[in-house]
Amino acid sequence: MTENDPSGQDAEKARPAGTQPDAERSASWAAQPAPQQPDATGLGGHATPQTGAQQAYPPDQQYNPWSPQAQQAQTQTQQAPASEHQNPYTQGHQIPGQQPPFTQPGPSVYAVPQQRQAKKSTSGKLLAGVAAIALVVGGVAGGTVGYLTGDATGGSSVNALDAPKPAQQTGNLPAGSVESVAQKLSPSVVELQVSGRSGAGEGSGFVLSTDGYVLTNNHVVEVAAGGGGQIQAVFQDGKKGTATVVGRDPTTDIAVVKVSGVSGLTPVELGRSDDLRVGQPVVAIGSPFELAGTVTSGIVSALNRPVSAGGGGDQTTVMSAVQTDAAINPGNSGGPLANMAGQVIGINSAIYSPKSAQGQGGESGGNVGIGFAIPIDQARRTADDIINTGQATQTFIGARVQTAPTGGAQLGEISPGSPAEKAGLKSGDVVTKLDERAIPNADALVAEIRTRAPNDKVKFTLNGGKVIEVTLGGQPVTPN
């Protein structure tokens, strides 16, 4: 099968790793969630096994474990022979709430889409669920406190409600803490509300300049591109402004918008992504499920993951991503991933989720601890091109590529006059390394080329050990 090359020509879509060969991978957006299993009681809780010591109470009387009847029943149970006691977990009973094993469908990688306005009830349901949990906890805690503070002997009791509030937290936040990162970065994170002819949604972005340039994902703003769309930027302090698309690059899932009528904004501090280490802590900020200003934390889980930008499965959009377990959900797209100095080291763009975790109707599922961010070194270069020229520049070699049967990236058709032809590469050559990076498949080669800039010189190691130096080319990106 022939795949597309990094030059931006049309290609067949790739399937996700783990389901089909790399050359035929594709990303999935629409899958069904795992069915919900009813609990043992049908009342949202676990069934309580009955024992011989328990007694039935009339409907108008509540069972009290400290009543004389209950104490007598407990004494009888303790005095009964061991053989008369029943253990529901050793008598063939199923443990309440236990689920039968099932087989999950294959995994997929897809973009973290902006939260659709048509689904605004999602956040309402989420908040309602939180309220319900709080009520349950409050009810249990209230009963417990009432029992503990009641003193049957008539003695004095201790009540936490009578204690004075502790001193209010003061002083500077600890350097390198999640709190300090959130305090530094939150004023620069923007909620983007987007609408267009083909739909509406919500995502995130972050401020690049005091006069309103904001960096985000292409898939966040593309519904508003091409005329007729609207983008509203909402800042942490509640201020709002209308934004327009300056330029966008679907091949790297990067876009820049300009907010009008604003000044004195707080730009982020950009870090670097070429010295990231697996295991180092990171913080993500964005607007998941319309919950603006949400802060999550985690670590860098892996580096140089070949992932399709925007989750579309098109090989021309494959990027070399930073993997993190910081919670990223729909609406986080375009928001910053920062190191513990509060420097942005990536743009949150995609998540990886089993198909059973994806929502109904084609919606993406939630976070399962595997998210992907565009390295800031790549995003910085693209954003600079867009701001200065209105157009992004794509790095390419001018050759079609597919995964070789024995591993590596096999070159197909070579474009005349392309960097690949000038370097002496031939159709059928199998690339196994780019500089010191191993190339196990076609996507890995495309992703590594994307991280380089036009005119960079790289060394291709071919199957058999031959090394060829290639000067990478650059060409303008024209969004669809």
Side-chain angles (χ1 to χ4, degrees):
M1 183 185 71
T2 300
E3 300 288 353
N4 207 329
D5 69 319
S7 67
Q9 301 178 28
D10 293 336
E12 299 180 35
K13 295 185 177 180
R15 296 192 176 93
T19 58
Q20 296 292 339
D22 290 328
E24 302 179 2
R25 295 186 294 178
S26 64
S28 172
W29 279 80
Q32 302 299 319
Q36 300 294 323
Q37 299 293 335
D39 57 62
T41 65
L43 298 176
H46 296 299
T48 303
Q50 297 292 323
T51 67
Q54 292 177 327
Q55 301 181 18
Y57 287 81
D60 60 342
Q61 296 184 21
Q62 183 178 1
Y63 173 73
N64 184 344
W66 297 285
S67 67
Q69 295 91 333
Q71 295 295 323
Q72 180 179 2
Q74 182 178 359
T75 302
Q76 293 174 356
T77 301
Q78 294 172 346
Q79 294 177 350
S83 61
E84 295 182 13
H85 292 290
Q86 296 182 7
N87 186 339
Y89 304 108
T90 59
Q91 300 295 324
H93 292 265
Q94 181 179 356
I95 299 176
Q98 179 170 314
Q99 305 291 336
F102 63 96
T103 302
Q104 294 209 18
S108 63
V109 177
Y110 55 92
V112 186
Q114 62 275 28
Q115 181 69 12
R116 300 295 177 187
Q117 288 184 355
K119 300 294 183 179
K120 282 190 174 180
S121 60
T122 302
S123 60
K125 292 179 181 178
L126 173 62
L127 294 176
V130 173
I133 293 173
L135 288 174
V136 171
V137 174
V140 173
T144 304
V145 171
Y147 170 69
L148 292 178
T149 57
D151 193 334
T153 64
S156 61
S157 64
V158 177
N159 192 326
L161 299 176
D162 296 331
K165 288 197 294 186
Q168 191 172 24
Q169 297 183 63
T170 59
N172 296 327
L173 296 176
S177 65
V178 175
E179 295 170 276
S180 64
V181 174
Q183 185 182 62
K184 176 181 179 179
L185 201 54
S186 291
S188 305
V189 180
V190 184
E191 178 184 7
L192 296 175
Q193 300 170 351
V194 185
S195 63
R197 298 179 203 175
S198 60
E202 184 178 62
S204 305
F206 52 90
V207 176
L208 290 177
S209 67
T210 57
D211 59 348
Y213 282 109
V214 172
L215 187 58
T216 185
N217 282 142
N218 171 69
H219 76 262
V220 170
V221 300
E222 63 183 342
V223 296
Q230 294 183 338
I231 304 173
Q232 185 175 61
V234 183
F235 297 91
Q236 183 196 36
D237 59 5
K239 292 181 181 178
K240 298 180 180 180
T242 301
T244 55
V245 177
V246 178
R248 58 193 185 92
D249 180 9
T251 66
T252 58
D253 198 23
I254 292 171
V256 176
V257 300
K258 179 72 180 296
V259 185
S260 60
V262 296
S263 62
L265 300 179
T266 304
V268 299
E269 180 183 356
L270 298 179
R272 58 189 303 162
S273 51
D274 60 352
D275 63 352
L276 294 176
R277 300 180 304 276
V278 173
Q280 77 174 79
V282 289
V283 175
I285 305 180
S287 303
F289 299 108
E290 302 180 20
L291 300 174
T294 296
V295 178
T296 57
S297 64
I299 62 170
V300 173
S301 302
L303 297 168
N304 307 304
R305 291 293 199 202
V307 176
S308 177
D314 186 351
Q315 191 185 48
T316 63
T317 68
V318 172
M319 63 179 176
S320 183
V322 177
Q323 181 183 329
T324 179
D325 68 349
I328 299 173
N329 285 289
N332 270 114
S333 285
L337 185 70
N339 60 24
M340 302 313 290
Q343 301 168 328
V344 178
I345 52 87
I347 305 175
N348 300 318
S349 180
I351 57 177
Y352 177 96
S353 181
K355 290 183 179 180
S356 61
Q358 293 181 14
Q360 298 181 354
E363 284 188 45
S364 66
N367 173 269
V368 293
I370 305 177
F372 302 99
I374 303 168
I376 198 61
D377 291 349
Q378 178 177 338
R380 181 200 288 262
R381 183 176 67 250
T382 302
D384 193 52
D385 285 344
I386 290 174
I387 292 174
N388 291 330
T389 69
Q391 213 170 19
T393 302
Q394 180 188 62
T395 307
F396 78 110
I397 61 170
R400 293 184 178 273
V401 60
Q402 63 182 11
T403 299
T406 57
Q410 183 173 355
L411 303 182
E413 180 184 353
I414 307 292
S415 299
S418 66
E421 184 188 58
K422 292 177 180 178
L425 292 170
K426 306 294 184 184
S427 177
D429 284 344
V430 177
V431 180
T432 58
K433 288 178 65 177
L434 191 156
D435 289 338
E436 299 304 315
R437 184 85 59 205
I439 304 297
N441 51 48
D443 282 357
L445 178 61
V446 175
E448 284 304 312
I449 292 173
R450 289 279 183 263
T451 64
R452 269 64 172 186
N455 299 318
D456 279 357
K457 296 182 183 298
V458 297
K459 293 181 180 179
F460 283 17
T461 300
L462 306 183
N463 192 14
K466 184 178 180 180
V467 178
I468 295 180
E469 185 176 80
V470 181
T471 300
L472 302 177
Q475 60 185 8
V477 176
T478 303
N480 295 331

